[in-house]
Amino acid sequence: MTDALTITRDLIRCPSVTPADAGALGVLEALLKDAGFTTHRVTFSEAGTADIDNLYARIGTEGPHITFAGHTDVVPPGDETAWSLGAFSGEVKDGYIYGRGAVDMKGGIACSVAAALAYLRDHGGQPKGSISFLITGDEEDVSINGTIKLLQWAAERGEKFDHCVLGEPSNQEVMGDCIKIGRRGSQSGILIVEGKQGHVAYPHRASNPVPDISRLIVALSDEPLDHGSAQFQPSNLEFTTVDVGNTATNVIAGIARAKFNIRYNDCHTQQSLRALVEERLAKACGNRIRAYIDWLPSNSNVFLTKPGPFTDLAVAAIEEVTGRKPELSTTGGTSDARFISSYCPVIEFGLVGQTMHQIDERASVADIATLTKIYRGILDRYFA
């Protein structure tokens, strides 16, 4: 059966906690093959990480080419006894379908597949261009063997995408209130302050890094990185841990560390951001404090799909079904759209995200029907 609710149920019943697939990609591949899509299952590997299975499916050979992207992997369910219904039951109760991934984002994938299949049935089995699906099993964890490599693989085969819709749960309160057109970048680091270990009774023989790291934390936190841009809120640097690894009360620690994360906007690149923070650290240290930053690897760069014909098309489809004109937003964390944006303009629009990653994650049956209609409206307009 190809209705969105049935597809959502079948996907939820696959306990695909990263890196397990548990049959989820097979559910989609079977449906798409039956509809005439050419499908490819591609497994990517890298030392120190789990092998990840991915799915690429396309129907049509000409442009325009719209692709729907998503991930079938989910976060762990936590205490399964705390769920009202089974964490992987896919059961419907009081107008909601329950299960891990219902919102993030098996429901969104199901709606895009159902919409595409309905569009093809109404147009002789072929689009006036091309429709494809980029589905990974590696979004909720390290994102190494998933979308980033699937896009590279597709590009090497000569695949070119004109536009992409990523079905992440973008809506905040109700269907139609928000489209994500960009995301801030993410950069983490560890501030390390070197002191000299010693006895607390003889502080002149030691150098205590604790007061110094406190001063540096304040200095780096207090001064704004920027004041925002036309499409983005201001960047923010947040310290999340402070640690000296010291269990004794009569020993001055020799080193102190503080972890931090920066969510940055399009005022910066990863390189310019690091340089700015390093400059401010050097100023705060002066000639006395010995400190440096251990920057952690990041593939979460900032991106923006500028408002234009494609966003207008999506807004019109959403407004027609919901009666709401969505906000074009760049708030929130990162997503695989950061990889897709290097290949084509991408927007994020899916279900309401209020219960994602929670016990009793659930999606409204009515919202699933609404999202399917919106995706169908996007396809109708795209190929009109």
Side-chain angles (χ1 to χ4, degrees):
M1 297 182 66
T2 58
D3 66 281
L5 185 62
T6 300
I7 301 171
T8 302
R9 179 202 67 191
D10 291 347
L11 289 175
I12 289 173
R13 289 179 177 176
C14 301
S16 51
V17 177
T18 318
D21 170 63
L25 292 180
V27 170
L28 299 174
E29 185 176 26
L31 289 168
L32 295 171
K33 265 188 176 180
D34 286 347
F37 283 78
T38 300
T39 64
H40 303 270
R41 293 282 288 273
V42 193
T43 302
F44 298 116
S45 305
E46 188 157 320
T49 65
D51 292 354
I52 298 293
D53 205 11
N54 301 268
L55 172 66
Y56 178 66
R58 177 173 177 170
I59 189 168
T61 58
E62 305 296 328
H65 180 183
I66 186 170
T67 188
F68 289 92
H71 63 90
T72 52
D73 62 316
V74 297
V75 297
D79 181 5
E80 293 195 48
T81 64
W83 286 71
S84 300
L85 302 170
F88 300 102
S89 68
E91 291 186 35
V92 175
K93 182 180 179 182
D94 298 330
Y96 289 87
I97 184 168
Y98 283 73
R100 178 60 81 224
V103 168
D104 189 14
M105 57 167 290
K106 291 179 174 180
I109 292 173
C111 293
S112 61
V113 170
L117 298 185
Y119 177 87
L120 293 172
R121 284 195 298 269
D122 292 343
H123 290 82
Q126 287 290 328
K128 296 179 180 179
S130 297
I131 302 171
S132 65
F133 288 87
L134 286 159
I135 310 296
T136 184
D138 185 30
E139 196 270 352
E140 294 290 8
D141 194 15
V142 291
S143 299
I144 289 175
N145 293 320
T147 298
I148 187 170
K149 289 185 177 178
L150 186 59
L151 287 163
Q152 293 166 354
W153 171 88
E156 289 168 1
R157 289 173 49 86
E159 299 287 326
K160 294 181 179 179
F161 309 102
D162 293 310
H163 297 91
C164 177
V165 178
L166 176 60
E168 288 283 1
S170 61
N171 289 286
Q172 306 297 308
E173 302 290 338
V174 293
M175 287 298 298
D177 66 14
C178 183
I179 296 176
K180 300 284 188 184
I181 61 167
R183 296 275 191 164
R184 291 180 298 171
S186 176
Q187 174 65 66
S188 294
I190 305 172
L191 171 62
I192 300 171
V193 178
E194 296 177 337
K196 182 180 179 181
Q197 190 181 60
H199 196 295
V200 296
Y202 304 93
H204 58 286
R205 297 175 181 170
S207 177
N208 193 339
V210 175
D212 287 339
I213 201 168
S214 300
R215 295 184 183 98
L216 296 180
I217 287 172
V218 171
L220 293 179
S221 299
D222 276 2
E223 187 176 358
L225 293 167
D226 56 68
H227 298 285
S229 65
Q231 299 293 340
F232 287 90
Q233 66 193 91
S235 304
N236 65 291
L237 185 156
E238 299 294 334
F239 280 91
T240 56
T241 70
V242 182
D243 182 41
V244 294
N246 185 11
T247 59
T249 59
N250 60 348
V251 176
I252 293 171
I255 195 166
R257 297 177 175 85
K259 294 180 181 179
F260 63 90
N261 177 265
I262 305 171
R263 296 302 167 106
Y264 63 95
N265 60 33
D266 56 351
C267 295
H268 314 273
T269 64
Q270 191 177 98
Q271 292 71 29
S272 69
L273 178 75
R274 290 183 178 188
L276 174 61
V277 176
E278 296 269 11
E279 179 184 340
R280 291 183 177 182
L281 175 63
K283 180 180 178 181
C285 287
N287 296 321
R288 185 183 64 80
I289 302 175
R290 293 177 298 161
Y292 62 94
I293 293 173
D294 180 12
W295 294 104
L296 302 182
S298 173
N299 59 13
S300 299
N301 296 314
V302 63
F303 80 90
L304 174 68
T305 296
K306 292 184 178 180
F310 184 54
T311 56
D312 291 346
L313 180 152
V315 167
I318 293 164
E319 196 168 11
E320 180 182 48
V321 176
T322 68
R324 300 182 185 91
K325 188 171 184 177
E327 174 192 3
L328 302 181
S329 171
T330 59
T331 60
T334 60
S335 74
D336 276 359
R338 68 189 188 273
F339 305 131
I340 300 167
S341 64
S342 297
Y343 294 81
C344 68
V346 54
I347 61 170
E348 297 177 44
F349 186 79
L351 293 166
V352 177
Q354 290 186 346
T355 63
M356 59 182 172
H357 293 204
Q358 295 182 10
I359 299 292
D360 280 348
E361 181 178 350
R362 59 197 179 274
S364 162
V365 172
D367 285 354
I368 288 174
T370 297
L371 182 58
T372 305
K373 290 178 183 177
I374 290 169
Y375 285 157
R376 174 60 193 273
I378 289 174
L379 288 172
D380 287 338
R381 286 170 169 80
Y382 195 76
F383 293 120

